[in-house]
Amino acid sequence: MPAENAPADNLDDDDYPAYTMGRAADVLGTTPAFLRAIGEADLITPLRSEGGHRRYSRRQLRIAARARELVDQGTPIEAACRIISLEDQLDDALRVNRDMRRRLDERPTDT
C-alpha cells in the first residue's frame, strides 16, 4: 500500500468520514434522528459507506454540535441550520475581506 493511502494518514483529516451514525450520535450526546434531521435540512451531508450507511467526519460533527447547541437553547432545527449557514457565509466574507485588504496593503504605492 503506498504511503499516501495509508489508513493512518486519515487520523488528522477533518473531512475523513470516520464516524458511524450511532457513534456520531454518542459523541454528540444526541440521537440518530437529530443527525438525520440536520441532514434533511442540508446542513451536513454525510458520506455513505459501500453498504449505504451514513459516515460523518470530525468537521461535520463540529457543525452538528453547533446545531445541537442552538436547538438546546430552544431554536427550531430548521432555524438553527439557517443560522449556521449564515454564520459560515459571514466567516467566508470576512476572510475574503481580510485577504483583499492584505493585498491592497501589499501593493506598491506610487509617490
Side-chain angles (χ1 to χ4, degrees):
M1 176 183 297
E4 64 270 13
N5 293 331
D9 291 343
N10 297 322
L11 294 175
D12 293 328
D13 185 352
D14 272 354
D15 294 313
Y16 182 73
Y19 297 88
T20 63
M21 177 179 273
R23 182 67 182 132
D26 287 345
V27 167
L28 295 170
T30 191
T31 63
F34 176 80
L35 291 172
R36 280 192 294 277
I38 62 174
E40 290 168 6
D42 293 326
L43 180 62
I44 59 175
T45 303
L47 294 172
R48 298 284 182 149
S49 68
E50 289 181 17
H53 299 282
R54 291 174 178 90
R55 302 282 183 200
Y56 298 88
S57 68
R58 286 191 307 222
R59 185 179 321 277
Q60 290 172 324
L61 293 187
R62 284 193 297 272
I63 294 167
R66 175 70 175 126
R68 177 156 188 250
E69 176 184 316
L70 290 169
V71 168
D72 286 350
Q73 294 171 2
T75 307
I77 286 181
E78 292 288 332
C81 293
R82 183 69 178 136
I83 289 167
I84 294 166
S85 176
L86 291 170
E87 288 173 343
D88 288 345
Q89 289 176 26
L90 177 59
D91 286 344
D92 290 343
L94 290 171
R95 186 173 25 262
V96 168
N97 192 333
R98 278 192 305 271
D99 290 347
M100 294 299 288
R101 287 184 185 276
R102 182 183 44 79
R103 288 183 194 147
L104 287 172
D105 290 344
E106 292 173 353
R107 280 191 333 188
T109 57
D110 294 332
T111 54

